[in-house]
Amino acid sequence: MADDIIILAKGTHVVPAAFTIDKAITVRGAESDGETVLTDGDAGGRLITLSKAVKLESVVFDRYGNNYSSPLVLKVTSAATGAVVSNVVFRRCGTAWPSGGNSSCIFTMSAGLMTHCVITNCQSFYTGAAELGSAATMEDCYLADVAS
């Protein structure tokens, strides 16, 4: 991984629009008491895309979803070989039917590793909670109360 680290402060952060991380950096939630929560406030189901060997860790995605045009919470592209999603919680996330060719699951990974993550109280109305490509691995994760 690159030496660059972005530490997100604890608290709730509303993500107002979709964005892509296209640099090999580490993005980490605060390491103090409390949570670093990313949400769209049920307003749009925005999408975060990782397109390089990004390390994303110790954040909570809460109340993402219910949008027809950008239903995914997290997308890891095939160009993100070496990406690691670790200690991430997806809770109270929901997706709707796909539109414009988008997938409708909580997250999709074409490459990389997801480890020690929790997916709880989420709904996906089309393809299920997750899509993993042949170059992606999910290990030591916990899924509970996930409906599709």
Side-chain angles (χ1 to χ4, degrees):
M1 284 293 133
D3 294 331
D4 294 333
I5 300 172
I6 297 173
I7 299 177
L8 303 173
K10 71 178 179 178
T12 300
H13 306 279
V14 176
V15 180
F19 68 94
T20 298
I21 300 174
D22 59 0
K23 305 285 185 220
I25 61 173
T26 297
V27 178
R28 179 181 303 146
E31 296 178 350
S32 59
D33 290 338
E35 295 178 320
T36 300
V37 178
L38 303 177
T39 184
D40 72 350
D42 283 330
R46 302 301 179 204
L47 170 67
I48 297 173
T49 301
L50 308 181
S51 64
K52 292 287 183 190
V54 175
K55 188 173 185 180
L56 176 66
E57 55 190 34
S58 303
V59 297
V60 176
F61 291 101
D62 187 35
R63 292 192 179 276
Y64 252 78
N66 299 317
N67 180 282
Y68 289 92
S69 62
S70 297
L72 284 169
V73 175
L74 178 67
K75 178 178 182 179
V76 182
T77 70
S78 59
T81 301
V84 177
V85 178
S86 174
N87 298 305
V88 172
V89 175
F90 299 86
R91 70 176 181 220
R92 297 184 292 183
C93 298
T95 63
W97 288 97
S99 174
N102 289 321
S103 176
S104 181
C105 56
I106 306 306
F107 66 87
T108 181
M109 293 185 70
S110 297
L113 169 66
M114 177 173 283
T115 183
H116 296 90
C117 294
V118 175
I119 303 169
T120 184
N121 197 18
C122 295
Q123 292 185 334
S124 177
F125 299 106
Y126 186 62
T127 59
E131 290 181 348
L132 296 176
S134 61
T137 304
M138 179 186 235
E139 63 183 31
D140 299 323
C141 293
Y142 178 76
L143 284 76
D145 298 321
V146 177
S148 61

